[in-house]
């Protein structure tokens, strides 16, 4: 979840990627922000990058090999979200 927020996905896009309802995503994000003592999604995205959960250089390469125009989260191939590159 934090990786997808770090990628900049909206609740609707995250729900689609995880095959969940948007309402469930909103609940997860809200609880995650509370537990991590973060004020908003921007702080969560920064945390994801600082923690190394989202490596933009790796994501862009995987994204280009899959023919997409938006970056994929690091490890997306492992999760079955995109083909291995």
């Amino acid at each position: 979840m934090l990786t997808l927020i770090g990628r900049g996905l909206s609740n609707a896009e995250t729900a689609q990627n995880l095959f969940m309802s948007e309402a469930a995503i909103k609940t997860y994000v809200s609880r995650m922000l509370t537990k991590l003592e973060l004020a908003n999604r921007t702080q969560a995205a920064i945390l994801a990058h600082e923690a190394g959960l989202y490596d933009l250089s790796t994501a862009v390469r995987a994204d280009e090999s899959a023919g997409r125009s938006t970056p994929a989260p690091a490890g997306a191939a492992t999760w079955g979200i995109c083909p291995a590159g």
Side-chain angles (χ1 to χ4, degrees), residues 32-45:
M32 180 184 63
L33 293 175
T34 300
K35 287 180 181 184
L36 294 174
E37 298 180 358
L38 302 173
N40 53 48
R41 294 173 70 95
T42 301
Q43 289 182 341

Side-chain angles (χ1 to χ4, degrees), residues 1-8 32 36 38 41-55:
M1 180 76 62
L2 188 57
T3 303
L4 296 176
I5 290 174
R7 182 177 164 197
M32 180 184 63
L36 294 174
L38 302 173
R41 294 173 70 95
T42 301
Q43 289 182 341
I46 292 168
L47 178 63
H49 285 275
E50 289 176 347
L53 297 177
Y54 182 68
D55 180 2

